[in-house]
């Protein structure tokens, strides 16, 4: 794949101020979305994170924490 060199500052300077600002906002929004998606892919499940935590080291690793919390919420709302 061929690399394209782009002078972003020069390109933005060639746009009117409103369009350049809209472009910056949209690129920023895309970057935030990508960061959130990447973080979600790398996130260790909560059950694994707390299974070895010193404060909660007795939590059974095979217990689905998210399901357990949902069940507790359902029980509380009854």
């Amino acid at each position: 794949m061929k690399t394209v060199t782009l002078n972003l500052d020069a390109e933005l300077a060639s746009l009117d101020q409103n369009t350049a600002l809209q472009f910056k906002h949209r690129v920023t929004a895309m970057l935030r979305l990508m960061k959130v998606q990447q973080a979600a892919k790398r996130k260790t499940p909560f059950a694994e994170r707390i299974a070895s935590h010193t404060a909660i080291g007795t939590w059974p690793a095979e217990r689905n924490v998210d399901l357990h919390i949902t069940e507790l919420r359902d029980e509380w709302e009854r």
Side-chain angles (χ1 to χ4, degrees):
M1 188 165 133
K2 184 179 175 184
T3 351
V4 177
T5 304
L6 176 69
N7 184 343
L8 192 54
D9 291 328
E11 294 293 333
L12 287 172
S14 71
L15 299 172
D16 65 273
Q17 188 177 6
N18 228 7
T19 305
L21 190 58
Q22 287 178 0
F23 176 80
K24 286 182 179 181
H25 286 298
R26 290 178 182 166
V27 168
T28 302
M30 286 189 305
L31 287 172
R32 286 186 187 135
L33 179 61
M34 289 177 66
K35 285 182 178 180
V36 167
Q37 290 173 343
Q38 289 299 316
K41 288 179 184 176
R42 287 180 273 147
K43 188 174 180 181
T44 306
F46 185 63
E48 288 179 27
R49 289 189 315 225
I50 69 164
S52 60
H53 192 281
T54 55
I56 314 173
T58 59
W59 186 270
E62 66 277 356
R63 176 101 190 209
N64 183 330
V65 178
D66 297 319
L67 177 62
H68 180 68
I69 290 172
T70 301
E71 289 171 349
L72 290 175
R73 283 186 182 137
D74 291 343
E75 183 179 326
W76 178 260
E77 291 175 359
R78 278 188 243 159

